[in-house]
């Protein structure tokens, strides 16, 4: 029987792609929940989604306003119709303030869980989380519930706390927690439309605004594309596949280390005449204590390029001193023959596209 899937954060980077994938591959009706402060913003978001999704969306989608930080979010949705929920909404900045992370990422998830509990025909409640809900843990990280190991930023903490609320409902609700890696490109071509800490840090290196490399070079960094992640999420939404906790990431053996990624980035940079003209050397590794000293000193500067560049790196840099390996055995069992992108090839094509587009400036300038 044809079902109805509710997607929160449906106009976000992944929400949009998941919506398009569910329209192309399934026959569910889709309710697209977006944050909108008034009718004008809702209409603008509806129009943008209609343009992005095209003909496939006509007759199968309904866009609704739902600010998950508010108690009355989701009240106008008919709970009887809902068969699946994909929770993609969140404030995703690594430097998100604690109170905003609490209101949106944690309390918003609690509201969604309460809504899910009223959906009598629900077959799946899938929350998109992050591998870094693991926080300050090191070593092998399995697809299991985490306890509080401390966190390097409020974003990580809030995704862990949200997971914890969702996992409390196991037994009552068909819950899945899908922990995602860092997405560095839309697809294997290396094209980037969503810029994050990975791209911003490389930009600092490319322009010579950061000459130290925080982190332990042996730290594995789990990277992937939006295409790979969208395929994995849509597969795991199939009610025939067991709920539970999944790490949507490349195999441990196919995960590049910080040192390998810096090497490939600088190999690409050094092929670029503009970069060579600046005569920059590769960044010097920096141990954790020296990095802390540097952050303290930069705090005293209160402004200027050094302060700015360090404050863009500091919300996640501590993770680079906490090597961990994400196991993905449950994912592999649920998705035999899956193929994650090769990390070195992906990092290389992504760096090439970053230089070509000047980190998105050229694409934006083109009409
Ligand atoms: N992309 C990644 O690399 C990555 C990695 C690991 C985990 N994840 C997880 O995957 C999910 C989707 O990420 P994404 O990259 O698509 O993020 P995104 O592009 O930042 O999208 C987040 C969405 O959440 C919405 N949102 C924010 N505050 C809201 C509120 N108060 N009420 C309702 N909706 C709200 C945003 O709407 P506005 O834009 O209007 O605020 C946006 O539509 C998130 O849960 C994120 O934690 C992503």
């Amino acid at each position: 029987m044809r079902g109805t899937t509710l997607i929160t954060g449906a106009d976000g980077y992944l929400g949009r792609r998941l919506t398009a994938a569910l329209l192309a591959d399934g026959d569910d009706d889709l309710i697209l929940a977006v944050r909108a402060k008034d009718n004008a913003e809702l209409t603008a978001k509806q129009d943008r989604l209609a343009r992005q999704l095209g003909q496939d969306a006509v007759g199968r989608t309904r866009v609704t306003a739902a600010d998950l930080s508010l108690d009355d979010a989701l009240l106008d949705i008919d709970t009887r119709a809902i068969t699946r929920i994909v929770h993609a909404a969140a404030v995703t900045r690594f430097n998100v303030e604690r109170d905003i992370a609490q209101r949106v990422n944690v309390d918003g998830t609690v509201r969604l869980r309460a809504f899910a509990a009223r959906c009598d025909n629900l077959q799946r409640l899938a929350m998109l989380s992050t591998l870094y809900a693991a926080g300050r843990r090191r070593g092998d990280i399995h697809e299991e519930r985490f306890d509080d190991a401390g966190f390097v930023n409020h974003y990580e903490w809030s995704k862990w706390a949200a997971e914890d609320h969702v996992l409390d409902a196991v037994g009552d609700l068909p819950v899945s927690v899908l922990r995602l890696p860092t997405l560095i490109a839309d697809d294997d071509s290396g094209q980037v439309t969503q810029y994050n800490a990975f791209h911003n840090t490389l930009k600092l290196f490319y322009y010579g605004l950061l000459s130290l490399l925080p982190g332990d070079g042996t730290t594995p960094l789990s990277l992937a594309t939006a295409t790979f992640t969208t395929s994995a999420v849509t597969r795991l939404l199939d009610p025939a596949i067991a709920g539970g906790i999944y790490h949507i990431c490349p195999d441990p053996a196919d995960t590049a280390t910080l040192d390998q990624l810096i090497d490939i980035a600088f190999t690409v940079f050094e092929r670029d005449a503009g970069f060579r003209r600046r005569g920059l050397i590769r960044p010097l590794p920096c141990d954790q204590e020296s990095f802390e000293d540097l952050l303290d000193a930069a705090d005293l500067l209160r402004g200027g390029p050094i302060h700015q560049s360090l404050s863009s790196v500091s919300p996640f840099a501590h993770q680079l001193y906490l090597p961990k390996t994400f196991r993905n055995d449950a994912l592999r069992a649920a998705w035999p023959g899956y193929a994650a992108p090769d990390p070195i090839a992906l990092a290389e094509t992504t760096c090439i596209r970053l230089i070509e587009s000047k980190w998105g400036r050229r694409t934006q300038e083109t009409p």
Side-chain angles (χ1 to χ4, degrees):
M1 203 187 71
R2 191 163 148 173
T4 299
T5 301
L6 166 69
I7 304 170
T8 71
D11 62 336
Y13 180 68
L14 280 173
R16 239 171 26 237
R17 285 168 171 76
L18 286 165
T19 301
L22 293 175
L23 286 172
D25 292 341
D27 61 0
D28 267 19
D29 288 325
L30 306 180
I31 299 182
L32 309 180
V34 300
R35 187 204 52 75
K37 65 176 178 306
D38 52 30
N39 278 339
E41 189 172 10
L42 178 61
T43 306
K45 287 191 166 197
Q46 271 167 334
D47 291 348
R48 200 174 325 126
L49 276 168
R51 273 197 312 277
Q52 288 163 340
L53 298 170
Q55 231 3 69
D56 282 357
V58 177
R60 282 183 58 199
T61 56
R62 177 164 78 82
V63 181
T64 186
D67 183 336
L68 290 171
S69 66
L70 304 176
D71 278 336
D72 62 359
L74 307 165
L75 279 187
D76 65 340
I77 298 175
D78 176 8
T79 52
R80 282 165 312 180
I82 305 293
T83 46
R84 295 188 299 190
I85 300 174
V86 187
H87 182 32
V91 175
T92 54
R93 288 180 287 116
F94 286 170
N95 62 352
V96 62
E97 301 74 7
R98 174 93 178 193
D99 60 327
I100 295 179
Q102 173 78 52
R103 263 202 323 273
V104 179
N105 296 0
V106 185
D107 299 346
T109 302
V110 172
R111 284 188 186 97
L112 190 71
R113 188 190 67 176
F115 170 84
R118 298 197 301 274
C119 297
D120 292 339
N121 299 311
L122 192 68
Q123 295 171 18
R124 180 57 40 88
L125 165 60
M127 175 197 162
L128 303 194
S129 187
T130 164
L131 295 172
Y132 292 100
R136 291 186 177 273
R137 255 179 205 76
R138 296 164 184 259
D140 266 359
I141 310 290
H142 294 276
E143 290 152 300
E144 62 193 13
R145 189 170 181 167
F146 297 142
D147 48 17
D148 178 348
F151 302 92
V152 311
N153 56 48
H154 301 314
Y155 170 72
E156 281 183 4
W157 159 78
S158 67
K159 297 303 285 188
W160 166 80
E163 273 192 12
D164 217 42
H165 286 293
V166 165
L167 290 169
D168 274 346
V170 169
D172 299 326
L173 293 175
V175 163
S176 284
V177 169
L178 311 180
R179 295 189 182 129
L180 312 186
T182 305
L183 306 191
I184 63 163
D186 300 348
D187 52 37
D188 292 347
S189 74
Q191 174 170 300
V192 180
T193 51
Q194 188 193 54
Y195 290 83
N196 58 31
F198 176 87
H199 312 103
N200 295 338
T201 305
L202 288 180
K203 187 177 180 179
L204 296 175
F205 286 139
Y206 179 82
Y207 288 106
L209 294 168
L210 187 65
S211 50
L212 290 175
L213 175 62
D216 171 342
T218 66
T219 300
L221 291 180
S222 197
L223 309 175
T225 61
T227 302
F228 166 75
T229 306
T230 303
S231 304
V233 172
T234 45
R235 180 169 185 97
L236 296 170
L237 282 177
D238 181 345
I241 290 179
I245 300 173
Y246 292 92
H247 288 173
I248 296 183
C249 60
D251 290 351
D254 295 333
T255 303
T257 62
L258 177 61
D259 273 351
Q260 286 174 307
L261 290 167
I262 289 295
D263 183 51
I264 193 67
F266 275 81
T267 303
V268 174
F269 290 177
E270 285 155 5
R271 294 203 294 254
D272 175 65
F275 180 80
R276 284 203 306 273
R277 264 199 305 278
R278 285 193 285 281
L280 298 169
I281 52 161
R282 291 188 175 206
L284 299 169
C286 176
D287 63 54
Q288 189 158 14
E289 212 179 320
S290 313
F291 186 63
E292 300 294 346
D293 288 346
L294 191 65
L295 291 181
D296 288 344
D299 265 351
L300 300 175
L301 298 172
R302 285 160 204 262
I306 296 178
H307 183 265
Q308 260 177 25
S309 59
L310 281 174
S311 56
S312 85
V313 173
S314 63
F316 70 92
H318 294 102
Q319 263 306 343
L320 302 176
Y321 294 102
L322 300 165
K324 40 174 97 49
T325 301
F326 295 102
R327 314 290 320 189
N328 60 353
D329 308 71
L331 175 79
R332 289 163 63 187
W335 190 8
Y338 91 104
D342 172 75
I344 298 294
L346 177 62
E348 182 174 13
T349 49
T350 305
C351 288
I352 292 170
R353 296 293 285 260
L354 286 172
I355 295 176
E356 277 170 6
S357 73
K358 293 277 177 270
W359 274 259
R361 253 192 0 239
R362 282 220 173 111
T363 349
Q364 278 161 19
E365 281 162 7
T366 316

